[in-house]
Amino acid sequence: MDNTLFWVTYLALWLIVTVLFAAVFFLYRFNGQMMLNSRDGRDQQGPEVGKPLPAARLTTVEGKHFDLGSSDLRPQLVFLAATNCKPCLRLKVGFAAFAEKYNSVVDTILVCRGSQEGVAKFASDLPASVIVVADLRWDLGTRLRVHSTPFVFIADSKGIVRGKGNPKDGLALDLFMEQLTEQPKNIQLFVSKSA
């Protein structure tokens, strides 16, 4: 009898511990998702405005290498996207227009999460001037602390980040060019869809 009572209470204790562990795990996950999807979470993602962009050597879908954040290049506008992101598809049209408009003064870079083939298909209708990088495992996105797409930032010719945000349409991308010329301190561009 004592042996049976011991095993029943022992199993009940482990059942309670397992339930509590699962509850804590799901509670932390829920709170983390809430923070990432909140306005504050979106505001804090990405490289810090006014600070140097972490240098990275990237490989394009064509197999060429180029340096992100180098201080001896032209300004760079970087669009972080994912092949399965519907807002990214909508912003892609404005991004293509931006790339055509500012081709002579800014390097436009698409860093896209997905397979090589998926990224190539996603970027197939972009101008030839756009540098396309397939971030297969989201290595650069993770390094830059970007967790939601579409995300755009602009760095000046010295590699200093001048603006960042989650633009909703192509018109908002022109605001990033203004950040280059004004060279503001700590301005983040989170622009809503225009009416």
Side-chain angles (χ1 to χ4, degrees):
M1 175 75 174
D2 290 333
N3 200 17
T4 305
L5 181 63
F6 170 78
W7 285 110
V8 168
T9 56
Y10 183 77
L11 290 174
L13 175 66
W14 277 108
L15 181 64
I16 291 170
V17 168
T18 303
V19 168
L20 288 175
F21 176 77
V24 169
F25 173 78
F26 287 114
L27 182 64
Y28 273 111
R29 186 179 185 282
F30 175 78
N31 283 337
Q33 290 295 325
M34 292 295 290
M35 289 197 63
L36 289 176
N37 294 325
S38 70
R39 179 159 179 99
D40 288 339
R42 289 189 306 268
D43 288 351
Q44 293 173 5
Q45 75 173 338
E48 194 173 337
V49 176
K51 301 280 182 175
L53 182 64
R57 187 145 182 96
L58 302 176
T59 305
T60 68
V61 290
E62 294 90 19
K64 299 177 184 174
H65 297 288
F66 80 97
D67 295 317
L68 181 68
S70 176
S71 62
D72 59 348
L73 300 173
R74 299 187 318 163
Q76 297 175 330
L77 181 113
V78 181
F79 172 28
L80 287 105
T83 55
N84 61 351
C85 166
K86 290 184 182 173
C88 298
L89 284 170
R90 289 192 294 270
L91 184 60
K92 186 173 71 160
V93 175
F95 177 68
F98 178 92
E100 287 285 333
K101 184 176 179 181
Y102 296 106
N103 181 35
S104 62
V105 292
V106 174
D107 289 332
T108 49
I109 302 156
L110 169 68
V111 177
C112 192
R113 183 178 196 169
S115 66
Q116 283 284 82
E117 299 80 29
V119 171
K121 183 178 177 186
F122 182 89
S124 63
D125 55 348
L126 291 175
S129 62
V130 173
I131 300 166
V132 180
V133 175
D135 195 351
L136 307 177
R137 295 176 302 179
W138 202 236
D139 294 330
L140 183 64
T142 302
R143 185 174 174 196
L144 295 175
R145 300 177 308 113
V146 174
H147 51 77
S148 66
T149 56
F151 186 82
V152 177
F153 66 88
I154 194 163
D156 63 16
S157 58
K158 295 180 177 140
I160 307 296
V161 177
R162 295 299 174 188
K164 66 178 182 175
N166 296 92
K168 302 294 183 220
D169 56 32
L171 296 174
L173 293 174
D174 286 335
L175 295 174
F176 285 95
M177 285 305 293
E178 292 176 17
Q179 301 309 309
L180 267 186
T181 56
E182 294 174 13
Q183 306 230 338
K185 294 179 184 170
N186 254 345
I187 292 184
Q188 297 178 14
L189 301 171
F190 291 89
V191 188
S192 62
K193 198 169 195 171
S194 58

